[in-house]
Amino acid sequence: MEENMEEGQTQKGCFECCIKCLGGIPYASLIATILLYAGVALFCGCGHEALSGTVNILQTYFEMTRAAGDVIDVFTMIDIFKYVIYGVAAAFFVYGILLMVEGFFTTGAIKDLYGDFKITTCGRCVSAWFIMLTYIFMLAWLGVTAFTSLPVYMYFNLWTICRNATIVDGANLCLDLRQYGIVTIGEEKKVCTSSESFIKMCDSNELNMTFHLFIVALAGAGAAVIAMVHYLMVLSANWAYVKDACRMQKYEDIKSKEEQELHDIHSTRSKERLNAYT
């Protein structure tokens, strides 16, 4: 009988511990972090592969070559964008972890797990700093989303030309890279529907794959923007919680100080009465 009671208490203790641990998880920050990681992974992975496919298309069908020397051409810019993608992936992986840690330490269940914790001015400043930094990153991701829509627009035009060339017989449509600023005005890099390279490009899977990769990268950038907005809401709520907790902490300190003073006065009067009686 006693063993069954001990087992029941042990199971109850484990259950309460699990409930307490689950209650300490900042689910709002967790959802935002998952959305951020998914968006950044889609943008970085698909964007990197789409840029590699763009290089192959330019070299194979538009007969473009890398410029010799230190001249900055479209291939150099693509290499720079790839390195930027590497930096974005690493930076936001770390930033997501920092925001999750901030979410854990501003969750109300932490107070139950570790006892009364003191809300310091540094903690409030850290929360305000994260709000400002997240707002800046949200604006940056809005710019990235707008920039990523440009290659989607270019490939959509190219895909439309391929589609119209197959529907309309005898149509002589051309795509000139100069109108997109990829090459200088002096260079003439264009492909027309009458050329064999254009037909091969439209029939290749590389064009469709690169186009869809850019679309997925654009969706990933949009998901990152939504994650930043979600983080802003979470951080604002956490900052309000920290501010209220700070006020409550001051109130508890004043209350405990007054109670201590009343206790001291009562003790002093009791001693005086006892001395007078004696």
Side-chain angles (χ1 to χ4, degrees):
M1 183 69 179
E2 293 180 355
E3 292 179 357
N4 293 332
M5 291 179 63
E6 291 179 357
E7 290 179 358
Q9 291 178 355
T10 303
Q11 293 177 357
K12 184 178 179 180
C14 293
F15 178 76
E16 291 178 352
C17 182
C18 292
I19 294 298
K20 187 177 292 186
C21 291
L22 291 175
I25 298 175
Y27 291 100
S29 298
L30 180 62
I31 294 172
T33 303
I34 293 173
L35 185 60
L36 175 64
Y37 282 167
V40 173
L42 288 176
F43 172 77
C44 294
C46 296
H48 183 274
E49 293 301 318
L51 290 174
S52 300
T54 301
V55 171
N56 294 331
I57 290 174
L58 293 176
Q59 291 178 340
T60 304
Y61 303 107
F62 289 89
E63 297 179 354
M64 293 183 62
T65 56
R66 291 180 177 270
D70 297 332
V71 179
I72 299 178
D73 57 356
V74 63
F75 298 106
T76 305
M77 295 300 298
I78 289 176
D79 292 337
I80 293 174
F81 290 150
K82 287 183 178 179
Y83 287 114
V84 170
I85 286 175
Y86 301 149
V88 168
F92 278 91
F93 176 77
V94 176
Y95 191 66
I97 294 176
L98 292 177
L99 289 177
M100 274 297 297
V101 172
E102 196 273 345
F104 271 108
F105 279 98
T106 51
T107 301
I110 296 296
K111 187 173 182 179
D112 297 331
L113 289 173
Y114 298 103
D116 290 336
F117 61 95
K118 296 295 183 181
I119 304 298
T120 62
T121 305
C122 180
R124 284 178 290 170
C125 291
V126 169
S127 297
W129 171 255
F130 272 121
I131 292 175
M132 182 186 68
L133 198 60
T134 303
Y135 182 76
I136 294 173
F137 283 149
M138 184 197 68
L139 296 179
W141 274 109
L142 283 174
V144 170
T145 304
F147 183 78
T148 309
S149 63
L150 295 178
V152 174
Y153 172 74
M154 295 178 187
Y155 273 97
F156 177 75
N157 287 340
L158 182 57
W159 177 78
T160 303
I161 293 175
C162 291
R163 184 181 179 186
N164 292 333
T166 56
I167 294 175
V168 181
D169 295 333
N172 188 17
L173 304 175
C174 296
L175 179 69
D176 195 344
L177 296 181
R178 289 178 295 183
Q179 62 183 335
Y180 298 110
I182 297 178
V183 295
T184 59
I185 300 297
E187 299 180 60
E188 185 176 354
K189 295 293 182 181
K190 65 179 181 179
V191 177
C192 298
T193 56
S194 57
S195 62
E196 184 179 356
S197 59
F198 183 85
I199 297 174
K200 290 181 179 179
M201 180 178 62
C202 292
D203 293 337
S204 65
N205 293 326
E206 192 172 22
L207 177 63
N208 289 329
M209 180 62 69
T210 304
F211 178 40
H212 288 91
L213 284 174
F214 271 121
I215 292 176
V216 177
L218 178 61
V225 172
I226 296 174
M228 291 291 104
V229 174
H230 196 163
Y231 267 129
L232 278 177
M233 294 187 294
V234 173
L235 290 170
S236 299
N238 289 344
W239 186 82
Y241 165 77
V242 171
K243 187 176 181 180
D244 291 340
C246 182
R247 291 178 178 177
M248 184 61 66
Q249 176 182 312
K250 291 181 179 178
Y251 171 75
E252 293 292 338
D253 292 340
I254 295 172
K255 184 179 178 181
S256 61
K257 185 178 181 181
E258 291 178 352
E259 291 178 352
Q260 184 64 35
E261 289 177 354
L262 290 175
H263 179 72
D264 294 340
I265 293 172
H266 180 72
S267 299
T268 303
R269 289 180 177 178
S270 298
K271 290 180 180 178
E272 290 177 353
R273 290 176 182 176
L274 180 62
N275 293 331
Y277 178 76
T278 303

